Amino acid sequence: MVRSEVLLLGGRSGVGKSSVGYEIHAQLSAGGVRHCVIEGDNLDLAYPPPWEHGLAERNLAAMWGNYRALGYRRLIYANTVSVRFVDELTAAMGDDPRVTAVLLTADDVTARQRLARREIGSALEQHVVRSDLAARELEALSPAWVHRVPTDGRPVVDIAGEIIGLTGWAAGDVGLS
């Protein structure tokens, strides 16, 4: 069996995880590289949060199992704290994947500007406060081996290209076996 691979994209709210993940998807698709994308924030988005039940990991296991059954071996997984919970996420995948973990970074001003464009409802201030706290915690608690990639003032195309280089997922490498 071919060992699977996972790219974990983490970072504060407003750093560009989803945008970068979708651009990586676009570039890999254009290059014929077989992969799938899971937006981790949606795996346990509920109120009250069901975090103590491991719902995100259970849903990841189910989704990844379905992708694996179809022959996928490469996963792009975006979630704020993914780079802090590598062991739990890879255990949920159940197949000892090779891991590339990337902590996307942005300064407070950049993150706030991006959040202000995205959060048009009553929750903007909550998101700003949580984003600032998450940035500090992620930097302090993410393992040293996690790649740090700044997103401030950079085109998403360039950021995605840099991260694809970190994975070693070459264009034309369809990863079918």
Side-chain angles (χ1 to χ4, degrees):
M1 179 186 299
V2 174
R3 186 176 184 198
S4 64
E5 301 176 68
V6 62
L7 167 60
L8 300 175
L9 294 175
R12 69 188 298 167
S13 295
V15 79
K17 293 177 301 294
S18 296
S19 297
V20 169
Y22 293 135
E23 179 60 28
I24 291 171
H25 167 69
Q27 290 184 28
L28 292 175
S29 297
V33 179
R34 187 177 177 96
H35 68 283
C36 64
V37 179
I38 296 176
E39 185 69 45
D41 288 343
N42 295 324
L43 296 182
D44 63 356
L45 183 60
Y47 185 84
W51 299 322
E52 70 275 8
H53 301 288
L55 188 59
E57 292 83 0
R58 289 173 25 208
N59 286 337
L60 174 60
M63 290 179 72
W64 180 241
N66 290 331
Y67 280 118
R68 285 282 299 191
L70 295 174
Y72 290 87
R73 299 294 180 263
R74 292 186 176 120
L75 168 62
I76 300 163
Y77 182 85
N79 175 268
T80 300
V81 295
S82 62
V83 298
R84 287 193 46 217
F85 295 95
V86 174
D87 292 341
E88 293 86 346
L89 294 170
T90 56
M93 291 175 69
D95 57 1
D96 188 34
R98 185 178 72 82
V99 177
T100 302
V102 175
L103 177 60
L104 297 175
T105 64
D107 65 29
D108 292 343
V109 172
T110 299
R112 285 185 182 121
Q113 289 171 343
R114 292 175 181 166
L115 285 170
R117 288 192 304 262
R118 185 179 84 196
E119 301 297 334
I120 58 173
S122 62
L124 173 59
E125 190 54 35
Q126 275 181 329
H127 283 286
V128 168
V129 169
R130 281 198 323 240
S131 176
D132 290 351
L133 178 61
R136 304 321 170 251
E137 288 179 353
L138 284 164
E139 184 53 45
L141 300 175
S142 295
W145 61 267
V146 172
H147 302 275
R148 271 70 171 172
V149 175
T151 65
D152 303 279
R154 297 180 63 197
V156 71
V157 171
D158 294 348
I159 299 165
E162 177 181 343
I163 293 170
I164 290 169
L166 295 173
T167 67
W169 299 350
D173 179 8
V174 294
L176 294 174
S177 53

